[in-house]
Amino acid sequence: MKVLVVGSGGREHALVWCIAKSNKVKKIYCAPGNGGTASLAENIPIEADDISSLADFAGKEKIDLTVVGPEAPLVAGIADEFLTRGLNVFGPSANAAMIEGSKAFAKEVMKSAGIPTAFFNLITNIDELQELVQRKNLQKAAVKADGLAAGKGVFICNSQQEIMAAGNKILQEGIFGGAGKRVVVEELLEGEEASILAFCDGSTVKLMVSSQDHKRALDNDKGPNTGGMGAYSPAPVIAKELEKRIERDVMLPAIKELKKRGAPYVGVLYAGLMVSNNQIKVLEFNARFGDPEAQAVLPRLKTDLVEIMLSCINGKLQKQKIEWSENAACCVVMASGGYPGNYEKGKEIFGLDKSAKLHDTIVFHAGTKKIGDKIFSNGGRVLGVTALGKTINESIEKAYKAVSKISFEKMHFRRDIGGRALEVKLQ
Ligand code: AMP
Ligand code: GLY
Protein backbone atom coordinates (compact mmCIF):
# COMPACT_ATOMS: atom_id res chain seq x y z
CA MET A 1 0.00 0.00 0.00
CA LYS A 2 0.91 3.63 -0.46
CA VAL A 3 -0.07 5.78 2.51
CA LEU A 4 -0.21 9.57 2.81
CA VAL A 5 -0.07 11.20 6.25
CA VAL A 6 -1.30 14.81 6.39
CA GLY A 7 0.33 17.20 8.90
CA SER A 8 3.73 18.21 10.22
CA GLY A 9 3.86 17.76 14.00
CA GLY A 10 5.04 15.18 16.51
CA ARG A 11 1.70 13.41 16.14
CA GLU A 12 2.29 12.98 12.42
CA HIS A 13 5.82 11.65 12.99
CA ALA A 14 4.34 9.16 15.47
CA LEU A 15 1.72 8.17 12.86
CA VAL A 16 4.36 7.74 10.16
CA TRP A 17 6.54 5.70 12.57
CA CYS A 18 3.61 3.44 13.46
CA ILE A 19 2.46 3.05 9.84
CA ALA A 20 6.03 2.22 8.75
CA LYS A 21 5.86 -0.89 10.97
CA SER A 22 2.94 -2.28 8.95
CA ASN A 23 3.89 -5.03 6.53
CA LYS A 24 1.02 -3.89 4.30
CA VAL A 25 2.85 -0.65 3.55
CA LYS A 26 5.37 -0.15 0.76
CA LYS A 27 5.66 3.62 0.63
CA ILE A 28 4.72 6.53 2.91
CA TYR A 29 4.33 10.19 1.98
CA CYS A 30 3.92 12.98 4.50
CA ALA A 31 2.51 16.41 3.59
CA PRO A 32 4.18 18.66 4.50
CA GLY A 33 6.02 16.57 7.14
CA ASN A 34 9.10 17.55 9.14
CA GLY A 35 12.78 16.64 9.63
CA GLY A 36 11.81 13.39 11.36
CA THR A 37 9.17 12.15 8.94
CA ALA A 38 11.77 12.68 6.19
CA SER A 39 13.67 9.61 7.41
CA LEU A 40 10.68 7.22 7.06
CA ALA A 41 8.54 8.92 4.43
CA GLU A 42 8.87 11.18 1.44
CA ASN A 43 7.91 14.70 2.46
CA ILE A 44 5.64 16.43 -0.03
CA PRO A 45 5.51 20.24 0.07
CA ILE A 46 1.74 20.61 0.28
CA GLU A 47 0.25 22.33 3.34
CA ALA A 48 -2.20 20.35 5.49
CA ASP A 49 -5.06 22.75 4.72
CA ASP A 50 -4.61 22.70 0.94
CA ILE A 51 -7.33 20.09 0.49
CA SER A 52 -7.66 20.14 -3.29
CA SER A 53 -3.89 19.83 -3.88
CA LEU A 54 -3.74 16.95 -1.39
CA ALA A 55 -6.61 15.18 -3.15
CA ASP A 56 -4.97 15.81 -6.56
CA PHE A 57 -1.73 14.32 -5.24
CA ALA A 58 -3.48 11.28 -3.72
CA GLY A 59 -5.36 10.69 -6.97
CA LYS A 60 -2.30 11.05 -9.18
CA GLU A 61 -0.05 8.86 -6.99
CA LYS A 62 -2.83 6.28 -6.45
CA ILE A 63 -2.56 6.56 -2.67
CA ASP A 64 -4.40 3.65 -1.00
CA LEU A 65 -4.96 5.37 2.35
CA THR A 66 -4.71 8.96 3.56
CA VAL A 67 -4.47 9.58 7.31
CA VAL A 68 -5.30 13.09 8.49
CA GLY A 69 -3.49 14.37 11.62
CA PRO A 70 -4.74 17.90 12.40
CA GLU A 71 -8.26 19.18 13.01
CA ALA A 72 -8.37 22.15 10.62
CA PRO A 73 -8.51 20.14 7.35
CA LEU A 74 -11.02 17.71 8.90
CA VAL A 75 -13.35 20.50 9.95
CA ALA A 76 -12.87 22.05 6.49
CA GLY A 77 -14.03 18.81 4.82
CA ILE A 78 -10.91 16.95 3.65
CA ALA A 79 -12.55 13.56 4.28
CA ASP A 80 -15.63 14.56 2.24
CA GLU A 81 -13.46 15.72 -0.67
CA PHE A 82 -11.43 12.49 -0.70
CA LEU A 83 -14.54 10.31 -0.47
CA THR A 84 -16.19 12.23 -3.33
CA ARG A 85 -13.13 11.43 -5.42
CA GLY A 86 -13.26 7.76 -4.42
CA LEU A 87 -10.12 7.98 -2.28
CA ASN A 88 -9.73 6.09 1.01
CA VAL A 89 -9.33 8.43 3.97
CA PHE A 90 -9.06 7.92 7.73
CA GLY A 91 -10.75 10.81 9.54
CA PRO A 92 -14.30 12.09 10.09
CA SER A 93 -16.41 14.05 7.61
CA ALA A 94 -16.84 17.80 8.16
CA ASN A 95 -20.26 17.23 9.74
CA ALA A 96 -18.88 14.67 12.20
CA ALA A 97 -15.72 16.76 12.91
CA MET A 98 -18.06 19.57 14.04
CA ILE A 99 -17.81 17.86 17.41
CA GLU A 100 -14.42 19.61 17.61
CA GLY A 101 -15.09 22.48 15.19
CA SER A 102 -17.95 23.92 17.23
CA LYS A 103 -18.05 23.77 21.01
CA ALA A 104 -21.73 24.77 20.89
CA PHE A 105 -22.46 21.79 18.62
CA ALA A 106 -20.47 19.47 20.91
CA LYS A 107 -22.47 20.66 23.92
CA GLU A 108 -25.76 20.12 22.08
CA VAL A 109 -24.69 16.60 21.11
CA MET A 110 -23.74 15.88 24.72
CA LYS A 111 -27.03 17.28 26.00
CA SER A 112 -29.16 15.24 23.57
CA ALA A 113 -27.14 12.09 24.22
CA GLY A 114 -27.10 12.49 28.02
CA ILE A 115 -23.29 12.60 28.17
CA PRO A 116 -22.00 13.95 31.51
CA THR A 117 -20.51 17.43 31.02
CA ALA A 118 -20.43 20.88 32.66
CA PHE A 119 -23.61 23.02 32.62
CA PHE A 120 -23.43 25.64 29.91
CA ASN A 121 -25.05 28.63 28.22
CA LEU A 122 -24.60 29.68 24.62
CA ILE A 123 -24.08 33.42 24.22
CA THR A 124 -24.05 35.47 21.03
CA ASN A 125 -23.49 39.05 22.27
CA ILE A 126 -21.95 40.91 25.16
CA ASP A 127 -25.29 42.15 26.56
CA GLU A 128 -26.53 38.58 26.86
CA LEU A 129 -23.34 37.71 28.73
CA GLN A 130 -23.82 40.65 31.10
CA GLU A 131 -27.40 39.58 31.72
CA LEU A 132 -26.35 35.95 32.38
CA VAL A 133 -23.57 36.96 34.78
CA GLN A 134 -25.96 39.15 36.76
CA ARG A 135 -28.93 36.79 36.75
CA LYS A 136 -26.86 33.83 37.93
CA ASN A 137 -24.44 35.93 39.97
CA LEU A 138 -21.66 34.05 38.15
CA GLN A 139 -18.29 34.33 39.87
CA LYS A 140 -16.47 31.56 38.03
CA ALA A 141 -16.75 30.12 34.53
CA ALA A 142 -14.89 28.67 31.58
CA VAL A 143 -15.53 31.08 28.69
CA LYS A 144 -14.93 29.42 25.32
CA ALA A 145 -14.87 30.62 21.74
CA ASP A 146 -17.22 28.37 19.74
CA GLY A 147 -14.93 27.58 16.81
CA LEU A 148 -11.35 26.41 16.25
CA ALA A 149 -8.78 28.63 17.98
CA ALA A 150 -5.64 26.47 17.93
CA GLY A 151 -6.14 25.49 21.58
CA LYS A 152 -6.19 29.13 22.73
CA GLY A 153 -9.94 29.73 22.79
CA VAL A 154 -10.64 28.87 26.45
CA PHE A 155 -10.47 31.37 29.32
CA ILE A 156 -10.68 30.09 32.88
CA CYS A 157 -12.28 32.95 34.79
CA ASN A 158 -12.41 33.40 38.55
CA SER A 159 -14.38 36.65 38.86
CA GLN A 160 -17.21 38.52 37.11
CA GLN A 161 -14.63 40.95 35.73
CA GLU A 162 -12.62 38.13 34.21
CA ILE A 163 -15.73 36.59 32.66
CA MET A 164 -16.73 39.92 31.09
CA ALA A 165 -13.15 40.61 29.94
CA ALA A 166 -12.96 37.22 28.22
CA GLY A 167 -16.38 37.78 26.62
CA ASN A 168 -15.25 41.20 25.42
CA LYS A 169 -12.09 39.85 23.83
CA ILE A 170 -13.95 37.11 21.98
CA LEU A 171 -17.26 38.80 21.08
CA GLN A 172 -16.33 42.51 20.82
CA GLU A 173 -12.65 42.63 19.89
CA GLY A 174 -13.03 39.48 17.78
CA ILE A 175 -9.59 38.08 18.64
CA PHE A 176 -10.56 34.70 17.14
CA GLY A 177 -12.39 36.15 14.14
CA GLY A 178 -15.37 34.05 13.00
CA ALA A 179 -14.49 31.32 15.54
CA GLY A 180 -15.61 33.76 18.26
CA LYS A 181 -19.05 34.71 16.92
CA ARG A 182 -20.57 32.63 19.69
CA VAL A 183 -19.31 31.86 23.15
CA VAL A 184 -19.95 28.89 25.42
CA VAL A 185 -20.02 29.82 29.10
CA GLU A 186 -19.49 26.79 31.26
CA GLU A 187 -19.54 25.80 34.89
CA LEU A 188 -15.94 25.40 36.14
CA LEU A 189 -15.12 21.80 36.93
CA GLU A 190 -12.49 20.57 39.33
CA GLY A 191 -10.52 17.36 39.37
CA GLU A 192 -7.83 15.54 37.44
CA GLU A 193 -7.75 15.79 33.64
CA ALA A 194 -7.14 12.79 31.41
CA SER A 195 -7.71 11.86 27.78
CA ILE A 196 -9.25 8.82 26.20
CA LEU A 197 -9.04 8.29 22.47
CA ALA A 198 -11.11 5.76 20.60
CA PHE A 199 -11.13 4.23 17.15
CA CYS A 200 -14.58 4.57 15.56
CA ASP A 201 -16.18 3.07 12.45
CA GLY A 202 -19.48 4.95 12.61
CA SER A 203 -21.22 2.41 14.86
CA THR A 204 -18.57 0.72 17.00
CA VAL A 205 -15.91 2.23 19.26
CA LYS A 206 -12.72 0.69 20.60
CA LEU A 207 -10.96 2.62 23.32
CA MET A 208 -7.23 3.17 23.23
CA VAL A 209 -5.13 3.18 26.39
CA SER A 210 -5.57 6.34 28.49
CA SER A 211 -3.15 9.24 28.60
CA GLN A 212 -2.59 12.61 30.21
CA ASP A 213 -1.28 15.76 28.61
CA HIS A 214 0.62 18.62 30.33
CA LYS A 215 -0.76 21.84 28.84
CA ARG A 216 1.10 24.51 30.84
CA ALA A 217 4.53 25.70 29.75
CA LEU A 218 6.32 25.41 33.10
CA ASP A 219 6.82 22.89 35.91
CA ASN A 220 4.03 22.42 38.47
CA ASP A 221 1.46 23.47 35.86
CA LYS A 222 2.60 27.09 35.91
CA GLY A 223 2.93 29.50 33.00
CA PRO A 224 0.82 29.92 29.87
CA ASN A 225 -1.14 27.19 28.09
CA THR A 226 0.64 25.46 25.21
CA GLY A 227 -0.25 22.81 22.66
CA GLY A 228 1.14 20.31 25.19
CA MET A 229 4.56 20.00 26.83
CA GLY A 230 4.47 16.26 27.33
CA ALA A 231 2.24 13.28 27.92
CA TYR A 232 2.25 9.87 29.50
CA SER A 233 0.21 6.72 29.25
CA PRO A 234 -1.61 5.13 31.03
CA ALA A 235 -3.24 7.77 33.24
CA PRO A 236 -3.73 6.03 36.62
CA VAL A 237 -6.72 8.27 37.37
CA ILE A 238 -8.61 6.23 34.75
CA ALA A 239 -9.06 2.81 36.31
CA LYS A 240 -10.22 -0.15 34.18
CA GLU A 241 -13.73 0.10 35.59
CA LEU A 242 -13.85 3.78 34.62
CA GLU A 243 -12.83 2.90 31.06
CA LYS A 244 -15.95 0.77 30.74
CA ARG A 245 -18.09 3.67 31.90
CA ILE A 246 -16.36 6.04 29.46
CA GLU A 247 -17.18 3.66 26.64
CA ARG A 248 -20.80 3.22 27.76
CA ASP A 249 -21.61 6.77 28.92
CA VAL A 250 -19.43 8.93 26.65
CA MET A 251 -18.08 7.33 23.48
CA LEU A 252 -21.00 5.11 22.42
CA PRO A 253 -23.69 7.75 23.09
CA ALA A 254 -21.61 10.33 21.17
CA ILE A 255 -21.27 8.25 18.03
CA LYS A 256 -24.91 7.08 18.24
CA GLU A 257 -26.07 10.68 18.44
CA LEU A 258 -23.86 11.71 15.50
CA LYS A 259 -25.16 8.82 13.43
CA LYS A 260 -28.71 9.84 14.28
CA ARG A 261 -27.88 13.35 13.03
CA GLY A 262 -26.68 11.92 9.72
CA ALA A 263 -22.98 12.29 10.53
CA PRO A 264 -21.55 8.83 11.27
CA TYR A 265 -18.17 9.21 12.94
CA VAL A 266 -15.24 7.40 11.31
CA GLY A 267 -11.78 8.08 12.70
CA VAL A 268 -10.34 8.82 16.11
CA LEU A 269 -12.62 10.42 18.67
CA TYR A 270 -10.78 12.09 21.54
CA ALA A 271 -12.54 12.84 24.81
CA GLY A 272 -10.87 15.29 27.20
CA LEU A 273 -12.22 14.37 30.63
CA MET A 274 -12.30 15.79 34.12
CA VAL A 275 -12.21 13.03 36.72
CA SER A 276 -13.29 13.73 40.27
CA ASN A 277 -14.22 11.16 42.94
CA ASN A 278 -14.28 8.50 40.25
CA GLN A 279 -16.90 10.49 38.31
CA ILE A 280 -16.23 11.69 34.78
CA LYS A 281 -17.34 14.77 32.89
CA VAL A 282 -16.39 15.63 29.32
CA LEU A 283 -14.45 18.89 28.85
CA GLU A 284 -14.13 18.62 25.09
CA PHE A 285 -14.17 16.33 22.13
CA ASN A 286 -11.48 16.37 19.45
CA ALA A 287 -11.84 14.80 16.03
CA ARG A 288 -8.33 13.32 15.83
CA PHE A 289 -5.36 11.96 17.74
CA GLY A 290 -4.07 14.35 20.44
CA ASP A 291 -0.63 15.85 20.18
CA PRO A 292 1.46 14.95 22.23
CA GLU A 293 -0.89 12.19 23.45
CA ALA A 294 -0.40 10.24 20.20
CA GLN A 295 3.32 10.18 20.89
CA ALA A 296 2.72 8.38 24.21
CA VAL A 297 -0.17 6.17 23.06
CA LEU A 298 0.91 4.92 19.61
CA PRO A 299 4.24 3.41 20.77
CA ARG A 300 2.14 1.12 23.01
CA LEU A 301 0.06 -0.21 20.11
CA LYS A 302 0.97 -3.80 19.22
CA THR A 303 -1.58 -4.31 16.41
CA ASP A 304 -0.96 -3.03 12.88
CA LEU A 305 -2.36 0.54 12.83
CA VAL A 306 -3.13 0.41 9.11
CA GLU A 307 -5.23 -2.74 9.62
CA ILE A 308 -7.22 -0.96 12.36
CA MET A 309 -7.73 2.14 10.22
CA LEU A 310 -8.99 0.04 7.32
CA SER A 311 -11.40 -1.76 9.67
CA CYS A 312 -12.75 1.64 10.73
CA ILE A 313 -13.18 2.80 7.13
CA ASN A 314 -14.85 -0.47 6.13
CA GLY A 315 -17.22 -0.59 9.14
CA LYS A 316 -15.56 -3.73 10.49
CA LEU A 317 -14.14 -2.47 13.77
CA GLN A 318 -16.31 -4.81 15.86
CA LYS A 319 -14.30 -7.83 14.72
CA GLN A 320 -10.91 -6.07 14.79
CA LYS A 321 -8.54 -7.20 17.55
CA ILE A 322 -6.50 -4.42 19.10
CA GLU A 323 -3.63 -5.21 21.43
CA TRP A 324 -1.62 -2.86 23.62
CA SER A 325 1.71 -3.24 25.32
CA GLU A 326 1.63 -3.42 29.12
CA ASN A 327 4.55 -0.98 29.16
CA ALA A 328 4.01 2.62 30.19
CA ALA A 329 5.14 5.50 27.98
CA CYS A 330 6.34 9.01 28.71
CA CYS A 331 6.84 11.76 26.12
CA VAL A 332 8.78 14.91 27.03
CA VAL A 333 8.39 17.81 24.62
CA MET A 334 11.54 19.87 23.96
CA ALA A 335 10.48 23.35 22.87
CA SER A 336 12.11 26.51 21.54
CA GLY A 337 12.95 29.17 24.14
CA GLY A 338 10.01 31.59 24.42
CA TYR A 339 7.34 29.11 23.24
CA PRO A 340 4.29 29.50 23.38
CA GLY A 341 5.18 33.18 22.87
CA ASN A 342 7.75 34.42 20.34
CA TYR A 343 10.69 32.15 19.67
CA GLU A 344 13.58 31.80 17.26
CA LYS A 345 13.90 29.01 14.69
CA GLY A 346 16.86 27.58 12.83
CA LYS A 347 18.89 26.29 15.81
CA GLU A 348 20.96 23.21 15.07
CA ILE A 349 19.95 20.21 17.17
CA PHE A 350 22.79 18.14 18.65
CA GLY A 351 22.85 14.69 20.23
CA LEU A 352 20.12 12.96 18.19
CA ASP A 353 22.65 10.26 17.23
CA LYS A 354 23.34 9.57 20.92
CA SER A 355 19.67 9.40 21.90
CA ALA A 356 19.00 7.10 18.93
CA LYS A 357 21.25 4.47 20.53
CA LEU A 358 19.09 4.19 23.67
CA HIS A 359 16.70 1.25 23.99
CA ASP A 360 12.92 1.69 24.03
CA THR A 361 13.34 5.36 23.17
CA ILE A 362 11.99 7.19 20.14
CA VAL A 363 12.61 10.83 19.37
CA PHE A 364 9.59 12.14 17.47
CA HIS A 365 10.19 15.34 15.57
CA ALA A 366 7.67 18.21 15.55
CA GLY A 367 9.09 21.60 14.50
CA THR A 368 12.26 20.41 12.78
CA LYS A 369 13.78 20.70 9.36
CA LYS A 370 16.43 18.52 7.75
CA ILE A 371 19.09 20.37 5.79
CA GLY A 372 21.73 18.04 4.39
CA ASP A 373 22.58 15.69 7.25
CA LYS A 374 21.77 18.20 9.94
CA ILE A 375 18.53 18.84 11.81
CA PHE A 376 17.43 22.36 12.76
CA SER A 377 14.58 23.66 14.91
CA ASN A 378 11.68 24.97 12.86
CA GLY A 379 8.79 25.55 15.27
CA GLY A 380 7.68 26.02 18.87
CA ARG A 381 7.45 22.40 19.89
CA VAL A 382 10.60 20.89 18.43
CA LEU A 383 10.88 17.26 19.62
CA GLY A 384 8.79 14.73 21.53
CA VAL A 385 11.20 12.43 23.33
CA THR A 386 9.34 9.22 24.16
CA ALA A 387 10.43 6.20 26.15
CA LEU A 388 8.73 2.97 27.18
CA GLY A 389 9.26 1.34 30.57
CA LYS A 390 7.77 -1.38 32.75
CA THR A 391 6.37 1.33 35.01
CA ILE A 392 5.56 5.01 34.55
CA ASN A 393 8.58 5.75 36.70
CA GLU A 394 10.90 3.78 34.46
CA SER A 395 9.49 5.41 31.31
CA ILE A 396 10.02 8.87 32.85
CA GLU A 397 13.62 8.09 33.77
CA LYS A 398 14.39 6.72 30.32
CA ALA A 399 12.75 9.67 28.55
CA TYR A 400 14.75 12.21 30.60
CA LYS A 401 17.94 10.24 30.00
CA ALA A 402 17.37 10.68 26.27
CA VAL A 403 16.49 14.35 26.75
CA SER A 404 19.83 14.85 28.54
CA LYS A 405 21.69 13.77 25.38
CA ILE A 406 19.96 16.35 23.17
CA SER A 407 20.63 20.07 23.03
CA PHE A 408 19.90 23.16 20.99
CA GLU A 409 20.27 26.82 21.78
CA LYS A 410 17.57 28.24 24.08
CA MET A 411 15.72 24.92 24.35
CA HIS A 412 13.24 24.50 27.17
CA PHE A 413 11.31 21.55 28.54
CA ARG A 414 9.39 20.62 31.65
CA ARG A 415 11.15 18.48 34.24
CA ASP A 416 8.00 17.05 35.80
CA ILE A 417 6.30 15.19 32.93
CA GLY A 418 4.58 12.11 34.33
CA GLY A 419 4.87 13.39 37.89
CA ARG A 420 1.09 13.62 38.24
CA ALA A 421 0.79 9.90 37.57
CA LEU A 422 3.06 9.13 40.48
CA GLU A 423 1.10 11.47 42.77
CA VAL A 424 -2.24 10.01 41.76
CA LYS A 425 -0.97 6.50 42.36
CA LEU A 426 0.17 7.36 45.85
CA GLN A 427 -3.26 8.66 46.92
P1 AMP B 1 -11.01 22.63 26.08
O1 AMP B 1 -10.33 23.09 24.82
O2 AMP B 1 -12.48 22.83 26.10
O3 AMP B 1 -10.57 21.28 26.55
O4 AMP B 1 -10.36 23.53 27.21
C1 AMP B 1 -8.96 23.65 27.38
C2 AMP B 1 -8.61 23.49 28.83
O5 AMP B 1 -9.35 24.39 29.64
C3 AMP B 1 -8.94 22.11 29.38
O6 AMP B 1 -7.93 21.19 29.15
C4 AMP B 1 -9.10 22.42 30.84
O7 AMP B 1 -7.84 22.48 31.49
C5 AMP B 1 -9.71 23.79 30.86
N1 AMP B 1 -11.20 23.71 30.93
C6 AMP B 1 -12.06 23.69 29.90
N2 AMP B 1 -13.34 23.63 30.32
C7 AMP B 1 -13.27 23.62 31.66
C8 AMP B 1 -14.27 23.56 32.68
N3 AMP B 1 -15.57 23.52 32.40
N4 AMP B 1 -13.84 23.55 33.95
C9 AMP B 1 -12.52 23.59 34.26
N5 AMP B 1 -11.54 23.65 33.34
C10 AMP B 1 -11.90 23.67 32.06
N1 GLY C 1 -2.95 17.80 23.48
C1 GLY C 1 -4.22 18.33 23.28
C2 GLY C 1 -4.72 18.22 21.91
O1 GLY C 1 -4.15 17.57 21.06
O2 GLY C 1 -5.76 18.81 21.65
Side-chain angles (χ1 to χ4, degrees), residues 103 107 118-119 141-142 144 151 153-156 186-190 193 215 225 272 274 282-286:
K103 290 192 189 287
K107 292 301 261 187
F119 291 113
K144 306 183 173 185
V154 176
F155 293 82
I156 303 300
E186 251 180 48
E187 162 203 17
L188 265 197
L189 300 175
E190 282 174 14
E193 278 183 55
K215 289 205 167 89
N225 261 323
M274 191 68 98
V282 175
L283 289 172
E284 62 166 343
F285 281 113
N286 291 327

Side-chain angles (χ1 to χ4, degrees), residues 75-285:
V75 171
I78 190 169
D80 311 70
E81 179 65 24
F82 272 60
L83 291 176
T84 304
R85 298 199 197 188
L87 296 162
N88 251 343
V89 60
F90 181 78
S93 67
N95 284 343
M98 276 261 283
I99 198 141
E100 173 164 9
S102 164
K103 290 192 189 287
F105 176 77
K107 292 301 261 187
E108 278 163 23
V109 166
M110 286 191 257
K111 202 167 154 184
S112 317
I115 295 170
T117 186
F119 291 113
F120 74 102
N121 285 84
L122 183 60
I123 298 291
T124 50
N125 67 61
I126 199 75
D127 298 333
E128 257 179 72
L129 182 62
Q130 183 77 56
E131 192 270 330
L132 176 76
V133 163
Q134 277 164 355
R135 181 163 46 85
K136 291 201 170 172
N137 190 24
L138 274 189
Q139 301 294 338
K140 288 178 172 193
V143 178
K144 306 183 173 185
D146 176 41
L148 290 185
K152 299 189 180 83
V154 176
F155 293 82
I156 303 300
C157 304
N158 285 299
S159 68
Q160 294 201 346
Q161 285 85 339
E162 283 178 23
I163 296 172
M164 290 311 297
N168 253 313
K169 278 192 193 143
I170 304 172
L171 291 164
Q172 300 285 95
E173 291 172 30
I175 57 170
F176 302 119
K181 276 211 174 111
R182 301 190 293 175
V183 157
V184 172
V185 179
E186 251 180 48
E187 162 203 17
L188 265 197
L189 300 175
E190 282 174 14
E192 188 71 21
E193 278 183 55
S195 311
I196 284 273
L197 287 71
F199 292 107
C200 308
D201 72 353
S203 314
T204 304
V205 298
K206 294 235 166 142
L207 264 53
M208 298 185 215
V209 287
S210 62
S211 57
Q212 194 180 42
D213 179 12
H214 296 58
K215 289 205 167 89
R216 301 293 200 98
L218 307 174
D219 287 2
N220 300 315
D221 292 329
K222 298 269 179 350
N225 261 323
T226 70
M229 292 299 289
Y232 64 87
S233 170
V237 69
I238 301 201
K240 271 272 165 274
E241 175 272 332
L242 207 51
E243 278 182 17
K244 292 212 179 75
R245 271 197 275 149
I246 294 166
E247 178 170 340
R248 187 194 65 196
D249 299 341
V250 174
M251 295 300 194
L252 275 172
I255 64 156
K256 263 195 196 142
E257 180 66 27
L258 286 168
K259 196 171 179 185
K260 206 168 91 187
R261 291 172 182 237
Y265 195 98
V266 177
V268 170
L269 183 61
Y270 166 134
L273 305 166
M274 191 68 98
V275 187
S276 175
N277 294 325
N278 220 23
Q279 299 299 314
I280 36 160
K281 285 195 177 168
V282 175
L283 289 172
E284 62 166 343
F285 281 113

